Amino acid sequence: MLGVKEIEQIIPHRHPFLLVDYIEELEPGVRGVGYKCVTFHEDFFKGHFPQEPVMPGVLILEALAQVGAVAILSLEDNKGKVAYFGGIDKAKFRKKVVPGDKVRLECEIIKQKGPIGIGKATATVDGKVAVSAEMTFMIG
């Protein structure tokens, strides 16, 4: 298991934009499974939405991308590099993520050619899909 300190050694994200609390499973270059424990104290809940706090879908996508980045940047050849968004396809938002949820973030690298690849990502809460997408990344 990787905690915040270990994740920060792989990707450049830091609080408040590091959206992964820990990585439970990691197969470098293949897949990663991480978790975000959503609390009432998240900065984004101050404005999204004060009367009905909902984690923004784009931040769930970002959290998924961060797990994918940990997976791809854990490869020896990619250490010290950065993974950038290249695109998002087939994004589906199926369930709200709210304070108290423990979000399981899974990203599998399904294609890679040179510095460009695609990750298939799914965020679930209590076994129910909240968000799914395919994300293109570029390693630089």
Side-chain angles (χ1 to χ4, degrees):
M1 183 166 82
L2 303 177
V4 170
K5 297 270 189 230
E6 293 87 2
I7 294 168
E8 289 179 343
Q9 292 175 0
I10 301 168
I11 62 175
H13 303 75
R14 300 294 180 266
H15 177 79
F17 208 69
L18 179 60
L19 299 172
V20 180
D21 293 327
Y22 63 96
I23 301 286
E24 183 177 70
E25 298 175 36
L26 178 62
E27 294 177 62
V30 178
R31 70 185 278 274
V33 176
Y35 288 87
K36 170 67 176 165
C37 299
V38 182
T39 73
F40 280 103
H41 303 290
E42 309 292 344
D43 287 336
F44 49 80
F45 285 139
K46 293 175 188 171
H48 197 272
F49 304 100
Q51 282 68 38
E52 183 187 354
V54 176
M55 185 171 181
V58 295
L59 293 183
I60 300 168
L61 288 170
E62 174 63 29
L64 286 163
Q66 289 178 13
V67 170
V70 169
I72 202 67
L73 297 177
S74 293
L75 288 171
E76 194 61 41
D77 289 348
N78 293 334
K79 289 195 177 185
K81 296 181 180 178
V82 176
Y84 298 97
F85 258 127
I88 301 170
D89 290 314
K90 302 178 185 172
K92 302 282 186 202
F93 301 90
R94 302 182 186 278
K95 180 183 182 335
K96 290 190 288 187
V97 173
V98 298
D101 284 346
K102 182 177 180 181
V103 185
R104 182 179 191 272
L105 306 159
E106 181 173 1
C107 187
E108 177 185 0
I109 309 305
I110 59 173
K111 185 176 182 181
Q112 185 174 4
K113 185 172 183 179
I116 298 172
I118 298 173
K120 181 179 178 186
T122 307
T124 58
V125 176
D126 296 327
K128 296 180 180 150
V129 175
V131 177
S132 62
E134 286 186 2
M135 296 183 276
T136 301
F137 61 87
M138 300 174 292
I139 299 169

